[in-house]
Amino acid sequence: MSVLKGKKILLGITGGIAAYKTANLVRLFIKAGAHVQVIMTPASKEFVTPLTLSTLSKNPVYSDFYNEETTPSLEEKTTQNPVWNNHVELALAADLILIAPATANSLSKMANGVCDNLLLATYLSSKCPVYVAPAMDLDMYKHPTTAANLHKLHLFGNIIIPAEKGELASGLEGEGRMAEPENIIIFIENHLLGQLPLKGKKILITAGPTYEPIDPVRFIGNHSTGKMGFDIATQAALLGAKVILISGPSHLQLNDVNVNLIRVTTTEEMYEQTHRFFDTVDIVIAAAAVADYKPKKVATQKIKKTEDTFSIELEKTKDILSSLGKIKEKQFLVGFALETENEIEHAKLKIQKKNLDLIVLNSLNDKGAGFGKATNKVTFIDKSFEITPMELKSKEEVALDILNKIIELNHA
């Protein structure tokens, strides 16, 4: 999964021959899971058509301060105003801006605050990271004014994607080619990864239920789907972490090179896998709904229905979280508590008993929380017993809140 997945990217295209490459650039962004909004300078439309970029991005392409198609005729102007393309809204909606190609003319305007088209107005209104991919002929790229403008833009906080060497439109050979679309994607991904708060961290996450067999066809289990743990794993990978996800039985799938998914069935199997990796990780998030008891004896054949009543002798399963709390050294240990009464008191006792750094409390008394739901409502309690209640949110949002809380506590 690319770090660009879900990102809102504003692609600014200026009037250079390299603009023809932006069709492939949009396609690669979309393939990475990003949302793309294109703004073109009027001159850039001589090199690539708005229709092409609109089709690929599945969004309208903006070029002017108002939509020409909706501009009223002279007769209508007394009763209707043109539709304004709000450069401030366009800028604030973006997670990042990429200006590619960035011609010498546009670089100069950006460096000196000239604002004579929609793209430059949007750039000057931006608050997000801005990436700049210069493209021009060899001597223009080497000219002191270009170097000075690029340096000034760097000082402003813009990220410069270096031009590449190769054959130029003039026929010369040298530096000045806009970086190839594939290389631009790699550059931005690597830069974003380097900025991520969990970069370099290794996280172990448990998810789903565990099933304890009664006989070859029956088991003791619960209604957990594993969604909370899978969502945490997805968000952790997006924040730069390497993730080991140990999941009990679940229909959920996760295809991410940064997530090592290990499937287990019983509590004993989950215990073995968590202890196998525990020494290698920085953070453990125990989101699994582990069975507390298992049959003392497991029948080797299917138990026949012969009596009106049937009793099974149960024994405790291994307490995975407690066992990790006893041996933890540098690890940040997070547990979950699903309670129905005296929630805060029980959660605090669990923090002490299991040597946790943070507990995520769920109450079945809260509407929208619990197993099998798309939402969750949690309360954070840290080892100092500081309580932070959260609002009802989607499980994806809760997953991000959990990770942000861990990051906050690790930097406190």
Side-chain angles (χ1 to χ4, degrees), residues 38-39 44 64 69 80 149 165 178 229 259 278 312 317 343 351-352 357 359 369 373 387:
V38 177
I39 300 180
S44 70
D64 300 298
E69 294 82 359
Q80 184 178 357
N149 287 332
K165 293 181 180 179
M178 184 181 87
V259 180
F278 186 65
I312 302 175
T317 57
E343 294 98 337
I351 290 172
Q352 293 176 314
D357 296 288
I359 200 162
K373 295 182 173 64
I387 300 171

Side-chain angles (χ1 to χ4, degrees), residues 192-211:
L192 289 175
L193 282 170
Q195 307 298 309
L196 294 176
L198 293 177
K199 176 69 174 175
K201 296 293 184 182
K202 197 169 183 180
I203 301 180
L204 188 155
I205 301 167
T206 65
T210 57
Y211 289 172

Side-chain angles (χ1 to χ4, degrees), residues 82-341:
V83 176
W84 180 257
N85 293 324
N86 191 321
H87 58 279
V88 175
E89 287 184 359
L90 288 167
L92 295 182
D95 294 315
L96 67 89
I97 294 174
L98 168 64
I99 299 179
T103 61
N105 183 48
S106 291
L107 288 174
S108 177
K109 290 178 178 180
M110 290 166 63
N112 293 283
V114 177
C115 184
D116 61 359
N117 61 49
L118 179 63
L119 175 56
L120 291 169
T122 304
Y123 163 72
L124 289 173
S125 303
S126 65
K127 297 183 183 296
C128 63
V130 177
Y131 296 82
V132 179
M136 64 201 73
D137 209 69
L138 173 63
D139 294 325
M140 296 171 68
Y141 190 68
K142 293 294 185 182
H143 198 279
T145 56
T146 301
N149 287 332
L150 286 171
H151 180 65
K152 187 183 289 187
L153 289 173
H154 173 71
L155 293 178
F156 290 163
N158 298 285
I159 304 104
I160 310 300
I161 302 175
E164 297 179 355
K165 293 181 180 179
E167 185 179 350
L168 303 169
S170 65
L172 294 174
E173 189 87 16
E175 201 170 15
R177 286 171 60 98
M178 184 181 87
E180 292 300 315
E182 294 83 357
N183 295 336
I184 289 175
I185 298 292
I186 291 170
F187 182 98
I188 294 175
E189 285 179 331
N190 288 338
H191 185 267
L192 289 175
L193 282 170
Q195 307 298 309
L196 294 176
L198 293 177
K199 176 69 174 175
K201 296 293 184 182
K202 197 169 183 180
I203 301 180
L204 188 155
I205 301 167
T206 65
T210 57
Y211 289 172
E212 306 302 332
I214 297 170
D215 63 19
V217 298
R218 301 180 180 91
F219 61 85
I220 295 172
N222 58 59
H223 297 297
S224 173
T225 63
K227 180 170 172 53
M228 189 74 260
F230 274 72
D231 286 341
I232 296 171
T234 299
Q235 293 294 338
L238 289 173
L239 292 175
K242 294 289 185 181
V243 180
I244 300 167
L245 175 61
I246 302 171
S247 174
S250 172
H251 71 280
L252 297 174
Q253 301 291 332
L254 208 165
N255 184 22
D256 191 315
V257 294
N258 291 312
V259 180
N260 177 17
L261 175 57
I262 300 170
R263 294 193 182 272
V264 299
T265 302
T266 66
T267 303
E268 179 68 28
E269 291 170 347
M270 186 171 284
Y271 179 95
E272 291 173 359
Q273 292 298 326
T274 54
H275 280 265
R276 174 186 168 195
F277 293 104
F278 186 65
D279 288 342
T280 69
V281 301
D282 303 292
I283 299 166
V284 177
I285 304 173
V290 179
D292 294 323
Y293 290 89
K294 65 179 181 178
K296 193 169 184 178
K297 293 182 180 180
V298 179
T300 57
Q301 301 294 325
K302 179 183 176 183
I303 299 171
K304 300 298 183 180
K305 186 171 65 175
T306 58
E307 304 293 336
D308 291 337
T309 61
F310 177 67
S311 298
I312 302 175
E313 187 178 2
L314 302 177
E315 63 182 357
K316 281 188 177 182
T317 57
K318 289 182 178 178
D319 191 326
I320 298 173
L321 193 54
S322 181
S323 69
L324 297 178
K326 289 175 182 176
I327 62 173
K328 78 167 187 175
E329 295 177 355
K330 60 181 178 62
Q331 295 89 349
F332 189 94
L333 190 56
V334 182
F336 276 65
L338 180 60
E339 303 289 349
T340 58
E341 59 181 354

Side-chain angles (χ1 to χ4, degrees), residues 348-365:
K348 287 180 177 179
L349 287 172
K350 193 171 184 179
I351 290 172
Q352 293 176 314
K353 185 178 178 181
K354 304 195 178 187
N355 193 23
L356 305 181
D357 296 288
L358 175 69
I359 200 162
V360 182
L361 172 62
N362 294 266
S363 172
L364 285 180
N365 295 317

